[in-house]
Amino acid sequence: MEEKLVKMLIESKHLVALTGAGVSAESGIPTFRGKDGLWNKYSPEELANPQAFAKDPEKVWRWYAWRMEKVFGVEPNKAHYAFAELERMGILKCLITQNVDDLHERAGSRNVIHLHGSLRVVKCTSCENSFEVQEPPKVPPLPTCDKCGSLLRPGVVWFGEMLPPDVLERAMREVEKADVIIVAGTSAVVQPAASLPLIVKRNGGVIIEINPDETPLTAIADYSLRIKAGEMMESLVEPVKKALS
Ligand code: APR
Ligand code: ZN
């Protein structure tokens, strides 16, 4: 099976990847929907949408500062490095991620599309001001914009918000060109991310799913591997490297 997948990756014309929280799980970042997922302990309705932020910005900011602290303090894992290696070898053309951590970049991936934004970004609720941070803001007090004085917010896409149109457009262009897509570490239930692999399929492309659990994508994936992303991605990259050396 692996040789077949390795050959497919090497012969692919435009390989893309779609990753989710499961790829960062092996770095110690909790997923959202698994058994110990974040949404089991916290409610997205109270924390990850514009209404929650309007109602209690300090509570939402304290939760995001906690998540930023966690994410900034962990290291990329084998899965992140394997994706970066595939890009370095010119095999992976683009990595589309739902994750708001920067572990793909810290592992060396360059062509990364963050569908749901990034915890590294803080932006103003009123003006265009948006900037990268190294540390989470100390909350309280609530962080305010040094350009216009308005409240700042995490640079992530909340439930009920539209994805930035240019970001979604870029991701759609990539999957329209893809003949193979690796879908790793996502429960494939959140739209529009979950529809991206279907576009590859509709265009006659191949879906390779990597997830210890089944997902709604499993039934239509050409290959669905019940395995952790770190292990699987490493077992794919080594032979690709050998074949290309
Ligand atoms: N390797 C691969 N997959 C894993 C691993 C692992 N080591 N550990 C867990 N998984 C799988 C789980 O089986 C699950 O299917 O990762 C998936 C994580 O699913 P979610 O927690 O739903 O995360 P994700 O799919 O990224 O969520 C999508 O929902 O909450 C919003 O905006 C948030 O971007 C997020 C979006
Ligand atoms: Zn401002």
Side-chain angles (χ1 to χ4, degrees):
M1 154 76 94
E2 242 145 59
E3 305 76 60
K4 208 166 166 204
L5 293 178
V6 167
K7 192 162 168 302
M8 202 179 292
L9 298 189
I10 293 173
E11 291 170 1
S12 62
K13 302 273 173 303
H14 197 86
L15 169 70
V16 300
L18 171 68
T19 64
V23 163
S24 296
E26 292 166 69
S27 293
I29 302 285
T31 61
F32 293 98
R33 293 173 184 81
K35 44 194 171 318
D36 50 3
L38 282 176
W39 297 148
N40 299 349
K41 285 204 286 281
Y42 303 97
S43 101
E45 293 71 27
E46 282 173 55
L47 291 165
N49 67 66
Q51 295 72 23
F53 187 66
K55 189 161 148 260
D56 189 345
E58 188 174 317
K59 177 176 169 187
V60 173
W61 252 121
R62 276 211 309 277
W63 189 63
Y64 274 93
W66 169 75
R67 284 186 64 201
M68 290 161 90
E69 192 81 48
K70 198 146 179 60
V71 163
F72 298 170
V74 298
E75 293 304 315
N77 66 62
K78 291 187 299 193
H80 297 108
Y81 287 112
F83 281 114
E85 191 61 18
L86 280 177
E87 178 187 324
R88 196 189 55 73
M89 292 189 282
I91 303 263
L92 179 66
K93 306 297 186 210
C94 182
L95 195 151
I96 302 163
T97 187
Q98 301 169 85
N99 298 340
V100 291
D101 63 53
D102 60 345
L103 295 176
H104 282 302
E105 290 88 342
R106 281 163 56 200
S109 289
R110 292 279 162 275
N111 191 2
V112 180
I113 299 177
H114 277 274
L115 292 176
H116 298 160
S118 168
L119 289 174
R120 280 279 179 213
V121 173
V122 169
K123 62 184 190 182
C124 181
T125 52
S126 308
C127 76
E128 291 308 302
N129 187 14
S130 163
F131 50 94
E132 294 227 346
V133 292
Q134 294 312 312
E135 304 287 323
K138 292 267 165 291
V139 178
L142 285 171
T144 50
C145 174
D146 55 10
K147 298 214 174 358
C148 75
S150 303
L151 187 53
L152 293 174
R153 58 165 281 180
V156 297
V157 177
W158 277 326
F159 287 103
E161 289 187 317
M162 301 290 287
L163 274 61
D166 56 318
V167 169
L168 186 54
E169 173 54 33
R170 264 184 70 208
M172 298 292 273
R173 264 204 312 279
E174 288 295 338
V175 292
E176 282 295 350
K177 285 190 285 188
D179 56 338
V180 185
I181 183 167
I182 297 175
V183 184
T186 180
S187 57
V189 294
V190 171
Q191 296 301 345
S195 301
L196 296 177
L198 308 183
I199 295 172
V200 177
K201 185 84 189 166
R202 195 192 57 212
N203 292 346
V206 172
I207 299 177
I208 302 170
E209 180 183 41
I210 300 172
N211 192 325
D213 295 349
E214 296 206 351
T215 74
L217 199 64
T218 302
I220 62 144
D222 298 82
Y223 301 90
S224 190
L225 308 152
R226 292 286 76 76
I227 185 170
K228 288 187 171 186
E231 199 181 325
M232 188 65 223
M233 287 311 297
E234 196 172 55
S235 74
L236 287 175
V237 166
E238 287 319 309
V240 169
K241 235 157 93 179
K242 233 196 240 78
L244 295 188
S245 57

